[in-house]
């Protein structure tokens, strides 16, 4: 079976990373037609051949293969009790409900899972991100503490590759007190992360009731802590990373109607009791406040959770220093209905068999930028292709190829590169976006008052062409 990325990447089994070390009850108005892309019926739409890094497998879970899943029963009970729920509530329940959520108890990544992501495709991806963090750490004054914070770390592969770079550049980082902080809701994935990143000899410390629910030591001796919420991560000079994380956060969906904006809700189909359907709220809902007054689209998705996280990151970076690097598929405030599901490496009806498929919506980078509220500067989005090129992916590929005599390894390296960089694959569908302190940019407010003799800050790597000085 081919492996599809959530952004629509096509088959890449062969390119999979070599030897991977690794919810006022209201009656809604039925939306007769599917809500844009989210009304996808399996088989009704041809999958764009190359799209985001999530692919859905299945075919294995017999109990869950029936469309009447435990999650569907839970949602029906909820809707019967309180009325139709927002798409955001639907998404939150389906993905992260502590008992039955899609993300909580399964490993959905990789060829045997439901989707694949860039770090799972090529080690070069994580290595270049590692270089980016070191570069920003150096450009912001080589702080004596270096907190690497990853939101939604999946299998821990990306952090593992970054830590390998840190080890290799140990002489550069030697005076810095490095620690790793992983924000993860999934019990299953946190166990996999621990297996990937820690030394089995040093037992993990577990405390399910604590905000820091697990602690361990990396293979290179770096302390690692696990949290469910970003708010619990210690404040301090930190470098934040979110790869394919914002797209799984719950979105509210709104449709413009002759009566004004109406929120899309999820209800039980009155004709078929085990089926859900989209309806429009009969009147305005509070979430409508998120829509910009000058909005020109007729359908919008808004992700308030993303806004809260960006505000928190911005506040932290402005106060304590550091940077945030966000990579995901998305748009700059131009797209409309992007809510979709994936199962078995195929597009999946978002309302069918909830809990058995991933749900995702494109990240609206213009919203992220607005939510930074000017506390920090934002860069991007730039395409993955441009970012990785600027980070020197070609040079790194050449070094790896030069050092490998094994034809299959060389082939995998080249196929992985193609998957990450090709415009028709992940190269132009994924974007990089960063938050940095204002003084990090040449026209930053701090810089304007700076001493004339001080050279302007170096460009932020990845967002500009490399200039060798
Ligand atoms: N970054 C990884 C995995 C992406 S999948 C990669 O690129 O390979 C999304 C990840 O976010 C998973 O680890 C999932 O368990 C986690 N996640 C989803 N919702 C979350 C939430 N609300 N808080 C923290 N982690 C979450």
């Amino acid at each position: 079976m081919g492996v599809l990325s959530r952004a629509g990447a096509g088959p890449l089994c062969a390119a999979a990373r070599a030897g991977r070390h690794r919810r006022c009850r209201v009656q809604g108005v039925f939306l007769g037609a599917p809500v844009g892309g989210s009304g996808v019926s399996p088989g009704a739409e041809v999958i764009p051949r190359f799209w985001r890094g999530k692919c859905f497998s299945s075919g294995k879970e017999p109990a869950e293969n029936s469309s009447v899943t435990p999650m569907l029963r839970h949602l029906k009970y909820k809707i019967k009790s309180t009325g139709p729920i927002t798409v955001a509530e639907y998404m939150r329940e389906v993905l992260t409900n502590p008992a039955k959520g899609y993300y909580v108890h399964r490993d959905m990544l990789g060829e045997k899972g439901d989707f694949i992501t860039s770090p799972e495709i090529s080690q070069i991806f994580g290595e270049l991100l590692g270089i980016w963090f070191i570069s920003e750490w150096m450009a912001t004054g080589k702080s004596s503490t270096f907190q690497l914070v990853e939101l939604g770390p999946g299998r821990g592969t990306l952090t593992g590759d970054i830590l390998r770079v840190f080890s290799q550049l140990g002489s550069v980082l030697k005076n810095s007190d490095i620690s790793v902080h992983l924000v993860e809701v999934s019990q299953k994935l946190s166990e996999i992360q621990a297996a990937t990143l820690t030394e089995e000899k040093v037992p993990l410390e577990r405390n399910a009731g604590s905000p820091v629910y697990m602690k361990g030591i990396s293979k290179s001796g770096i302390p690692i802590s696990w949290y469910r919420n970003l708010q619990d991560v210690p404040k301090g000079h930190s470098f934040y990373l979110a790869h394919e994380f914002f797209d799984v956060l719950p979105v509210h969906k709104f449709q413009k109607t002759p009566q004004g904006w109406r929120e899309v809700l999820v209800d039980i189909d009155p004709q078929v009791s085990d089926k859900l359907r989209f309806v429009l709220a009969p009147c305005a809902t509070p979430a409508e406040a998120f829509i910009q007054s000058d909005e020109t689209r007729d359908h919008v998705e808004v992700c308030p959770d993303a806004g809260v996280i960006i505000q928190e990151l911005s506040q932290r970076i402005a106060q304590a220093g550091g940077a945030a690097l966000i990579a995901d598929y998305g748009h700059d405030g131009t797209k409309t209905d992007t809510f979709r599901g994936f199962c078995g490496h195929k597009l999946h009806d978002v309302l069918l068999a909830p809990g058995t498929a991933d749900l995702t919506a494109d990240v609206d980078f213009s919203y992220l930028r607005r939510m930074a509220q000017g506390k920090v500067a934002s860069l991007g989005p730039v395409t993955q292709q441009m970012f990785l090129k600027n980070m020197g992916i070609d040079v790194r590929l050449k070094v790896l190829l030069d050092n490998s005599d094994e034809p299959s390894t060389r082939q995998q390296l080249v196929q992985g590169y193609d998957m990450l960089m090709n415009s028709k694959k992940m190269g132009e569908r994924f974007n990089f976006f960063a938050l940095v302190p204002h003084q990090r940019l040449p026209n930053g407010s701090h810089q304007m008052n700076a001493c004339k003799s001080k050279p302007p800050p170096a460009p932020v790597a990845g967002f500009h062409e490399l200039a060798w000085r």
Side-chain angles (χ1 to χ4, degrees), residues 158-220:
L158 185 48
T159 286
D161 289 340
I162 292 173
L163 291 183
R164 200 174 58 251
V165 170
F166 287 7
S167 294
Q168 283 162 0
L169 297 178
S171 59
V172 178
L173 292 163
K174 65 177 185 292
N175 294 325
S176 188
D177 185 10
I178 305 173
S179 56
V180 170
H181 306 263
L182 303 178
V183 180
E184 176 60 72
V185 283
S186 169
Q187 192 183 324
K188 174 83 179 176
L189 288 177
S190 62
E191 294 297 335
I192 295 172
Q193 291 150 19
T196 304
L197 297 169
T198 67
E199 193 67 84
E200 278 169 23
K201 280 179 280 179
V202 185
L204 292 164
E205 279 176 48
R206 296 167 204 272
N207 185 348
S210 164
V212 192
Y213 64 86
M214 197 158 75
K215 283 183 181 175
I217 303 288
S218 83
K219 291 169 183 167
S220 54

Side-chain angles (χ1 to χ4, degrees), residues 23-34:
R23 187 204 306 196
C24 113
R25 168 173 272 280
V26 291
Q27 292 303 317
V29 181
F30 174 51
L31 284 174

Side-chain angles (χ1 to χ4, degrees), residues 103-379:
Y103 273 108
V104 177
H105 301 292
R106 65 172 80 198
D107 174 15
M108 69 298 294
L109 280 142
E111 196 181 332
K112 291 185 183 156
D114 291 335
F115 59 89
I116 189 134
T117 60
S118 294
E120 303 290 337
I121 292 169
S122 172
Q123 68 181 72
I124 302 178
F125 187 81
E127 289 169 354
L128 296 178
L129 269 56
I131 301 283
W132 191 89
F133 284 112
I134 293 178
S135 159
E136 279 312 294
W137 171 76
M138 292 173 78
T140 52
K142 301 185 179 179
S143 64
S144 59
T145 55
F146 189 130
Q147 291 199 155
L148 176 67
V149 184
E150 187 176 0
L151 309 179
R155 282 179 168 168
T157 304
L158 185 48
T159 286
D161 289 340
I162 292 173
L163 291 183
R164 200 174 58 251
V165 170
F166 287 7
S167 294
Q168 283 162 0
L169 297 178
S171 59
V172 178
L173 292 163
K174 65 177 185 292
N175 294 325
S176 188
D177 185 10
I178 305 173
S179 56
V180 170
H181 306 263
L182 303 178
V183 180
E184 176 60 72
V185 283
S186 169
Q187 192 183 324
K188 174 83 179 176
L189 288 177
S190 62
E191 294 297 335
I192 295 172
Q193 291 150 19
T196 304
L197 297 169
T198 67
E199 193 67 84
E200 278 169 23
K201 280 179 280 179
V202 185
L204 292 164
E205 279 176 48
R206 296 167 204 272
N207 185 348
S210 164
V212 192
Y213 64 86
M214 197 158 75
K215 283 183 181 175
I217 303 288
S218 83
K219 291 169 183 167
S220 54
I222 293 170
I224 311 182
S225 307
W226 278 263
Y227 314 76
R228 290 178 195 88
N229 294 300
L230 171 62
Q231 286 81 359
D232 295 320
V233 174
K235 294 192 167 87
H237 199 88
S238 300
F239 294 88
Y240 301 90
L241 171 61
H243 181 256
E244 295 219 34
F245 167 75
F246 279 90
D247 69 283
V248 301
L249 299 179
V251 293
H252 289 267
K253 290 173 73 66
F254 300 90
Q255 179 70 41
K256 198 181 259 174
T257 74
Q259 292 76 39
W261 287 102
R262 291 290 179 266
E263 185 158 7
V264 179
L265 304 173
V266 175
D267 198 3
I268 300 165
D269 189 328
Q271 313 288 329
V272 188
S273 72
D274 281 333
K275 199 164 169 264
L276 299 174
R277 64 171 189 168
F278 288 115
V279 293
L280 281 185
C283 53
T285 52
E288 191 195 327
F290 289 113
I291 300 175
Q292 298 279 97
S293 55
D294 57 354
E295 182 58 63
T296 55
R297 289 169 289 173
D298 60 4
H299 188 98
V300 291
E301 295 168 341
V302 189
C303 183
D305 286 13
V308 169
I309 291 172
I310 290 293
Q311 286 173 351
E312 172 82 20
L313 293 176
S314 304
Q315 183 110 347
R316 283 170 173 246
I317 292 166
Q319 284 177 354
L325 188 61
I326 294 163
D328 227 308
Y329 47 87
H331 59 93
D332 219 6
T334 51
K335 287 198 180 171
T336 55
D337 180 12
T338 70
F339 182 39
R340 58 193 178 268
F342 291 91
C343 190
H345 300 267
K346 293 186 181 121
L347 273 175
H348 178 89
D349 183 332
V350 290
L351 299 182
L352 188 69
T356 65
D358 191 23
L359 300 178
T360 168
D362 281 17
V363 174
D364 180 348
F365 290 103
S366 69
Y367 177 70
L368 301 193
R369 197 181 301 118
R370 272 205 311 284
M371 289 300 108
Q373 295 174 324
K375 291 182 182 130
V376 290
S378 64
L379 290 145

